[in-house]
Amino acid sequence: MMPPSTARRLCFLSLLLLLLLLAAAASATADAAAAEEFTEELLLRPLPDRKALAHFHFRSSAPPASAAGRHHHLFPKAISQLVQKFHISELELSFTQGRWNYEQWGGYDPMSTNNAKPPGVELWAIFDLPLAEIDATWKNLTHTLSGLFCASINFLESSTAFSAPRWGFKLNEGNLRYGALPREAVCTENLTPWLKLLPCRDKAGIASLLYRPSVYKGYYHSQKLKLKSSQSLGIILDQTLTVVLQPNTVSGKQLHSTGGQLQPSWSMEHLFSKKLSGKCLVSKSSRVFVEIEKGIVDNVDKAGSDVSSNNDLFVLSTAPDRSLKELDNLEVQSSSLYEYDVNNYNSDKPLNVGITWKLPLIWSCTRAPYHASRFLMGSGNERGSIAMSFLSTGLDKQLVDSSNDCSIKAVVFQVVPWYVKVYYHSLEVFIDGNSKAISEVVDKIHVTPSEDKLLPGTMEMLLKFPCSMQLATLTLDFDKGFLHIDEYPPDANQGFDIPSALVSFPEFNSSRSYPEADPLFVSPLLENFKEDGVVKSYTEVLLVPLTTPDFSMPYNVITFTCTVLALYFGSLLNALRRRIGEEERGLKKAGILNKRGLIPLLIAKLRGQKVDPSESESTSPASLPRSKLLLKVVFVAVVAIVFHYLSNS
Amino acid sequence: NTIACDGDGGSVRRASCFFPRFPTGMSLIPRAAPAASMAFAGRDPAVISLLKMLPLLLLLTFSSAAAPPAAASPSAVHNNNWAVLVCTSRFWFNYRHMANTLSLYRTVKRLGIPDERIILMLADDMACNPRNNYPAQVFNNENHQLNLYGDNVEVDYRGYEVTVENFLRVLTGRHESAVPRSKRLLSDEGSHILLYMTGHGGDEFLKFQDNEELQSHDLADAVKQMKEKHRFKELLIMVDTCQAATLFSQLQSPGVLAIGSSMKGENSYSHHLDSDIGVSVVDRFTFHTLAFFEKLNMYSNASLNSLFNSYDPSMLLSTAYYRMDLYKRALNEVMERYIYF
């Protein structure tokens, strides 16, 4: 039987121990909740036109600053400093070369909605600041990004280069700024700093596959950085690189016994000249997905086999670790994903995912409701027209309703530089060849007209097309402006670019969900796919030839003017000062001209009177003006010397 | 903008405590003195003689005060190296100028200067140019053995940003406040700087992107500003253009060494044509300079003398010119200081 004091002490100690354990557990969970994470994923997809799509997705997340302080071990410090300094709540920066082929590669899936970007550089940002400070912050942001990514993003700083759309691009309260540089080149120097933001860079993990010549030989490559920052969730940084490549297989065009052409069989080694030999060790998860589109799945179903990694139409080179099926709105299986966990592979057993086709197959990807394209009309250097066409792709709006007032909404956002002076009142709409009144088609329109050398012209339009429409065309007239000679780029005769217009279809949702029973399977790539996103497509960049001046004219003008002035002043001074023949007569009289050299001649001239009188005939009438001349010359010389000395000392 | 002087005089900036910074272009000798002496010419001869001595006295004082900046270099120890590599030509047929600059970039990186200390200005994009059969690859030899672009190139000024204005801003350090650090030449009085320029040039000028020129006196003024602002200890300028030697004719700042690929009236020629890429891929002067550097590594002890001796006019088809009168040290000591730490 213990004495009561020791019992109390024991009680107290056990309580203390319990409290300590609880505190430790709490802090452990708090630490776990406040940790930085990095995941890397790669998605491969065969495309209908014998090409392959590779999509790299890297996500770094940092907890809110108050919890973690300023020390980062995975998250790139440059980005967190950027977010804090410029008060960014959302930012997207993309570098793209090539055009996304909406007809062949699809326009309805999350890949084309999120990763099909306009050529060149596109930057938009939403700031968490009072509206008056946003323009100055945008300017500093463009400079910082230009230093960070080795690109000329600083050209977006001036007000002629960016715009502030309210609802045409993304709904906001005026704190969004958007700018695009269509002619910006994208090369290795942009990829280098982008890769340096990753914890393993390109030394380990999925990023080690990026063989630069392969990436830049592709038909389309787009690297993108997307930031989201909030007080509660911290900063989430998504870096994606989307490449469309032609796999370099030896058997390029095989003919199958049935007479059709087989699609090229490729593997990761064909695409990148390397195999994947392990994951980045600090990444939370590292996965490779192979996506088999709905078109192929339908063909497999039609052929009668079940959709597994080895069926009658194709076989994957390695057995996947998991297979996910996408369920669309009607709970029907459309595309499927095969997942490989890179954790199971290392340098002894590298991962080389590939697909081999057994039977010839043709399929198509789902497209957006309309194929939007843009082109220029007119000729000459004075005026022209921008035309935008919407061609129906046959995607019925069967899910909504088939009544007579069925309509499809489209939102158009377009920024035109100030030297292409668009007349917004000249907007005309033609539906299936018939001209329609603007009020029938345009539901809402917001225009910020351009101001010379100050602002570009921004247009946001909400259009309503009838469902049965085949082709709609919008035209806008413009006048070509004149630039100051300093404002022309060095290759002015190439022309000037109008950045891509964005067409979005708000009633169509491009999200995809892949239900998975395993709660531990968390994939940021699939989370992005699941997010609600409207179907978007970018039109072409337009090249407008403007009048260029004759750049050699300033040189010509200077040369002509100086020649004329020199001739004028020269002849004037000659006419005023020179007496032709008088010098010779004077010297002949002095008798020196024929006898001595130049220096005695000059000395004799200056002396004037002091010439040997035996040789001179009559010097006295000429002596007085001569001495005056001498005095004047000496005076002018002295003044000149003094002035020269004073001005050059 | 005067610099605050600390009392102990131990700081190397002590020289500037003796006189305030004059705006550039003005000399240190006050102009008023000679005129004053002339104005008093008719008066007391003693005053006259004193006034005549005044400018001389001032000159002496200021020159003795000016001597410490030049003599500050012994007290300023060489502690970092910078490289500014400029390619001023655009368009595909000027591929060789890009290859020249990238060759120097690769050499300089290989021999120890990191990307943070290199300012690379390329006026056009050749590696990912649609006309390039080898995307992301730039070669300086038709054997295609060496990809100059590599995996880790960082270009600071690109495309339309390579202008005379930006070049002079980089040299003199006078940027707008928003310009990021990676685009600034952050050198100090202990820096050795390599400035390499290539493109099309002529008598006393260098052409920038077909619509601008950098003239020899612009360059000389910029170097003079750099010297006054203590932005370098020693500067090596290498220029590979036609009539390159004329670009240095106005230089007067001490501590500057200049190498040009040709003399006045001579052209600099390209080395060979790559029939696969379709254009000439390197210039002769740079080709031979590189041939010299490729034999070196970080621990070699070569000197500038040996570089000069390696230039053979019959191979270059022009006379390589070097200007050494502004440079005080013996050339056989020079090489290590520039490239290695």
Side-chain angles (χ1 to χ4, degrees):
Chain A
M1 180 63 184
M2 285 191 291
S5 59
T6 44
R8 210 177 288 147
R9 212 178 291 142
L10 266 171
C11 219
F12 176 69
L13 278 171
S14 59
L15 206 61
L16 196 61
L17 202 61
L18 193 63
L19 276 169
L20 277 170
L21 277 169
L22 279 172
S27 68
T29 48
D31 281 339
E36 295 176 354
E37 282 176 10
F38 172 71
T39 53
E40 50 177 21
E41 277 143 331
L42 168 63
L43 184 134
L44 299 166
R45 186 211 287 183
L47 292 173
D49 58 350
R50 315 178 63 79
K51 300 186 175 77
L53 172 85
H55 175 77
F56 295 78
H57 184 271
F58 303 99
R59 173 176 284 195
S60 295
S61 60
S66 49
R70 293 222 188 112
H71 295 287
H72 300 284
H73 72 281
L74 286 182
F75 195 82
K77 188 160 186 174
I79 300 294
S80 68
Q81 284 182 334
L82 198 81
V83 170
Q84 274 160 23
K85 184 170 178 203
F86 298 115
H87 301 97
I88 297 175
S89 59
E90 245 186 284
L91 178 140
E92 195 176 291
L93 172 62
S94 67
F95 299 83
T96 313
Q97 284 287 49
R99 244 187 320 151
W100 182 266
N101 188 343
Y102 287 100
E103 286 133 319
Q104 296 279 355
W105 305 340
Y108 203 90
D109 51 306
M111 182 72 64
S112 57
T113 297
N114 296 332
N115 298 301
K117 288 283 163 195
V121 165
E122 192 203 46
L123 171 67
W124 63 264
I126 298 183
F127 297 92
D128 191 14
L129 284 172
L131 294 181
E133 295 173 29
I134 291 186
D135 283 342
T137 316
W138 168 266
K139 174 181 168 175
N140 290 337
L141 174 67
T142 54
H143 275 277
T144 310
L145 287 174
S146 116
L148 192 54
F149 287 103
C150 297
S152 322
I153 303 176
N154 50 322
F155 288 149
L156 289 176
E157 63 170 341
S158 68
S159 57
T160 54
F162 66 88
S163 65
R166 294 303 293 261
W167 47 267
F169 184 75
K170 214 173 147 75
L171 194 60
N172 65 89
E173 305 100 35
N175 51 359
L176 176 129
R177 295 290 181 271
Y178 174 90
L181 289 172
R183 211 186 280 187
E184 188 69 16
V186 178
C187 206
T188 314
E189 67 262 20
N190 303 114
L191 193 60
T192 307
W194 188 90
L195 285 172
K196 283 188 180 170
L197 299 176
L198 302 173
C200 284
R201 308 217 172 163
D202 59 341
K203 304 289 181 230
I206 287 179
S208 64
L209 285 175
L210 290 172
Y211 180 54
R212 313 292 192 264
S214 295
V215 170
Y216 291 104
K217 208 195 293 205
Y219 289 83
Y220 173 87
H221 64 268
S222 169
Q223 72 187 65
K224 194 175 79 160
L225 189 118
K226 189 168 163 67
L227 264 191
K228 250 197 208 135
S229 153
S230 64
Q231 293 292 356
S232 51
L233 291 172
I235 309 177
I236 300 179
L237 171 69
D238 274 339
Q239 290 174 256
T240 60
L241 175 65
T242 312
V243 193
V244 173
L245 302 165
Q246 178 93 57
N248 51 343
T249 50
V250 176
S251 54
K253 293 189 182 196
Q254 304 163 295
L255 283 179
H256 192 251
S257 53
T258 58
Q261 215 177 65
L262 270 182
Q263 295 274 335
S265 307
W266 50 263
S267 68
M268 269 163 42
E269 197 166 3
H270 288 119
L271 295 179
F272 304 112
S273 317
K274 294 182 202 178
K275 298 183 196 178
L276 187 55
S277 51
K279 69 173 208 169
C280 171
L281 293 173
V282 292
S283 66
K284 186 168 162 233
S285 67
S286 177
R287 299 181 219 277
V288 175
F289 295 98
V290 176
E291 185 180 0
I292 303 294
E293 275 283 286
K294 179 174 191 300
I296 307 176
V297 167
D298 287 346
N299 271 308
V300 169
D301 281 338
K302 245 191 292 185
S305 61
D306 60 334
V307 186
S308 67
S309 67
N310 189 345
N311 55 46
D312 290 340
L313 286 182
F314 66 86
V315 58
L316 296 177
S317 59
T318 329
D321 297 320
R322 198 188 302 255
S323 120
L324 299 149
K325 301 194 192 322
E326 182 221 342
L327 296 179
D328 64 8
N329 296 352
L330 300 176
E331 302 293 318
V332 170
Q333 195 232 315
S334 34
S335 60
S336 57
L337 276 181
Y338 298 100
E339 184 245 353
Y340 299 81
D341 192 352
V342 187
N343 227 343
N344 306 335
Y345 300 89
N346 50 33
S347 47
D348 297 324
K349 190 175 66 138
L351 175 60
N352 187 16
V353 178
I355 184 167
T356 315
W357 298 93
K358 293 185 188 166
L359 289 175
L361 180 60
I362 299 177
W363 75 98
S364 61
C365 298
T366 326
R367 297 162 62 181
Y370 294 105
H371 174 67
S373 86
R374 201 174 58 156
F375 51 93
L376 284 174
M377 300 198 312
S379 65
N381 275 339
E382 220 181 308
R383 62 182 76 89
S385 292
I386 300 176
M388 206 178 304
S389 75
F390 296 86
L391 184 62
S392 170
T393 57
L395 182 80
D396 315 305
K397 208 180 168 193
Q398 73 249 39
L399 305 168
V400 185
D401 64 318
S402 45
S403 55
N404 268 349
D405 52 352
C406 160
S407 64
I408 300 184
K409 282 194 201 157
V411 177
V412 174
F413 167 60
Q414 183 171 249
V415 180
V416 178
W418 67 264
Y419 37 83
V420 175
K421 301 180 201 190
V422 176
Y423 293 109
Y424 292 102
H425 71 277
S426 62
L427 174 67
E428 282 179 6
V429 183
F430 299 88
I431 295 199
D432 289 328
N434 304 321
S435 170
K436 296 277 185 212
I438 303 294
S439 48
E440 278 180 44
V441 184
V442 177
D443 234 14
K444 196 161 82 157
I445 181 167
H446 179 249
V447 163
T448 309
S450 61
E451 281 179 51
D452 274 7
K453 300 185 209 269
L454 281 180
L455 280 182
T458 314
M459 182 176 79
E460 302 164 74
M461 265 196 315
L462 173 62
L463 302 162
K464 253 200 199 145
F465 297 125
C467 290
S468 54
M469 177 192 86
Q470 288 297 113
L471 172 68
T473 315
L474 279 79
T475 56
L476 278 170
D477 294 336
F478 65 84
D479 269 356
K480 297 187 186 177
F482 290 99
L483 292 169
H484 191 256
I485 191 168
D486 295 339
E487 292 169 350
Y488 283 95
D491 51 353
N493 290 300
Q494 184 179 359
F496 294 78
D497 297 299
I498 303 181
S500 294
L502 174 66
V503 177
S504 47
F505 303 99
E507 294 155 331
F508 294 83
N509 196 333
S510 70
S511 63
R512 281 189 179 177
S513 69
Y514 296 87
E516 170 60 35
D518 184 0
L520 292 176
F521 180 79
V522 173
S523 158
L525 179 64
L526 299 182
E527 277 173 23
N528 275 354
F529 282 4
K530 220 190 308 192
E531 264 174 26
D532 276 340
V534 298
V535 171
K536 289 194 283 218
S537 57
Y538 282 93
T539 64
E540 296 88 340
V541 170
L542 296 176
L543 188 62
V544 177
L546 292 183
T547 42
T548 53
D550 180 357
F551 292 104
S552 65
M553 273 316 283
Y555 165 77
N556 295 340
V557 167
I558 293 170
T559 314
F560 283 135
T561 315
C562 291
T563 309
V564 165
L565 284 173
L567 286 174
Y568 170 70
F569 280 108
S571 354
L572 185 69
L573 285 170
N574 258 345
L576 288 176
R577 292 302 315 156
R578 198 205 283 191
R579 311 251 154 86
I580 297 168
E582 184 183 286
E583 292 170 2
E584 286 185 13
R585 281 197 295 271
L587 286 168
K588 244 189 249 171
K589 285 178 194 167
I592 295 163
L593 186 65
N594 300 324
K595 287 192 185 172
R596 302 183 199 174
L598 188 60
I599 294 177
L601 198 68
L602 284 170
I603 293 170
K605 266 175 110 169
L606 285 173
R607 278 196 192 147
Q609 286 169 303
K610 297 179 190 160
V611 175
D612 193 356
S614 64
E615 291 174 328
S616 68
E617 292 167 8
S618 61
T619 56
S620 38
S623 70
L624 197 57
R626 199 173 280 140
S627 64
K628 272 194 187 163
L629 169 71
L630 180 67
L631 274 174
K632 281 183 206 166
V633 166
V634 167
F635 176 70
V636 168
V638 165
V639 165
I641 290 169
V642 166
F643 180 75
H644 181 80
Y645 175 65
L646 284 177
S647 66
N648 277 17
S649 65
Chain B
N1 45 358
T2 57
I3 291 181
C5 306
D6 30 17
D8 66 355
S11 152
V12 292
R13 295 195 203 280
R14 182 170 54 144
S16 57
C17 297
F18 292 125
F19 56 92
R21 297 268 168 120
F22 284 98
T24 55
M26 270 174 73
S27 76
L28 302 171
I29 303 168
R31 293 181 196 184
S37 66
M38 293 279 296
F40 284 106
R43 312 250 176 133
D44 193 354
V47 175
I48 296 168
S49 57
L50 186 65
L51 283 169
K52 278 192 182 141
M53 289 299 293
L54 189 60
L56 231 63
L57 279 172
L58 284 166
L59 177 62
L60 281 170
T61 327
F62 280 114
S63 63
S64 65
S73 11
S75 63
V77 173
H78 166 219
N79 54 15
N80 55 57
N81 292 316
W82 282 83
V84 178
L85 309 171
V86 183
C87 166
T88 59
S89 303
R90 136 179 306 269
F91 304 126
W92 176 247
F93 53 82
N94 291 319
Y95 182 101
R96 62 186 187 282
H97 296 142
M98 201 74 54
N100 289 348
T101 316
L102 286 169
S103 313
L104 255 290
Y105 173 77
R106 183 187 164 268
T107 303
V108 149
K109 254 175 94 159
R110 184 175 68 86
L111 294 175
I113 304 186
D115 267 316
E116 295 86 60
R117 300 266 173 84
I118 303 178
I119 306 254
L120 179 61
M121 300 173 77
L122 296 180
D124 201 357
D125 171 44
M126 296 298 166
C128 294
N129 195 310
R131 290 165 97 159
N132 190 1
N133 234 349
Y134 299 89
Q137 290 160 338
V138 174
F139 303 112
N140 66 352
N141 200 318
E142 59 178 349
N143 57 21
H144 294 184
Q145 295 286 357
L146 193 56
N147 172 16
L148 297 173
Y149 225 58
D151 282 347
N152 279 320
V153 61
E154 285 186 19
V155 182
D156 299 297
Y157 286 85
R158 267 215 313 194
Y160 298 139
E161 285 179 292
V162 178
T163 58
V164 175
E165 183 193 340
N166 281 343
F167 173 67
L168 293 177
R169 280 183 188 275
V170 165
L171 284 187
T172 55
R174 293 161 71 169
H175 294 279
E176 290 181 14
S177 54
V179 171
R181 283 176 69 90
S182 62
K183 285 172 137 177
R184 294 182 190 231
L185 179 63
L186 299 167
S187 56
D188 54 23
E189 62 263 327
S191 303
H192 284 183
I193 304 181
L194 166 68
L195 172 60
Y196 175 81
M197 295 191 282
T198 180
H200 289 289
D203 196 359
E204 312 254 343
F205 71 90
L206 173 64
K207 193 166 72 155
F208 265 68
Q209 293 210 48
D210 245 4
N211 69 345
E212 272 187 314
E213 297 169 350
L214 174 76
Q215 302 199 338
S216 55
H217 54 82
D218 290 330
L219 182 64
D221 283 346
V223 172
K224 187 173 168 195
Q225 268 197 52
M226 286 174 82
K227 193 69 197 171
E228 285 183 8
K229 290 169 84 160
H230 302 291
R231 280 168 69 76
F232 67 92
K233 181 164 183 276
E234 286 169 17
L235 175 65
L236 170 62
I237 308 181
M238 284 177 80
V239 176
D240 186 357
T241 67
C242 300
Q243 306 191 51
T246 55
L247 203 64
F248 315 132
S249 57
Q250 311 282 337
L251 282 177
Q252 274 161 16
S253 315
V256 177
L257 191 58
I259 306 177
S261 62
S262 51
M263 307 280 295
K264 180 175 160 106
E266 286 179 357
N267 291 334
S268 290
Y269 295 95
S270 65
H271 191 261
H272 63 268
L273 171 75
D274 181 339
S275 34
D276 197 0
I277 293 183
V279 284
S280 303
V281 289
V282 71
D283 279 335
R284 286 181 180 257
F285 176 75
T286 309
F287 181 83
H288 288 102
T289 308
L290 282 177
F292 178 84
F293 277 112
E294 282 295 310
K295 297 185 213 131
L296 302 180
N297 61 27
M298 251 197 279
Y299 309 102
S300 307
N301 252 343
S303 71
L304 263 184
N305 241 346
S306 40
L307 174 64
F308 293 156
N309 295 338
S310 75
Y311 291 138
D312 178 7
S314 62
M315 297 297 290
L316 288 180
L317 300 183
S318 60
T319 317
Y321 163 84
Y322 15 99
R323 184 169 172 179
M324 302 176 306
D325 55 316
L326 297 168
Y327 196 71
K328 299 293 177 290
R329 284 194 298 140
L331 282 180
N332 50 11
E333 300 170 13
V334 170
M335 184 61 88
E336 314 106 34
R337 305 306 213 284
Y338 271 100
I339 308 290
Y340 323 126
F341 205 92

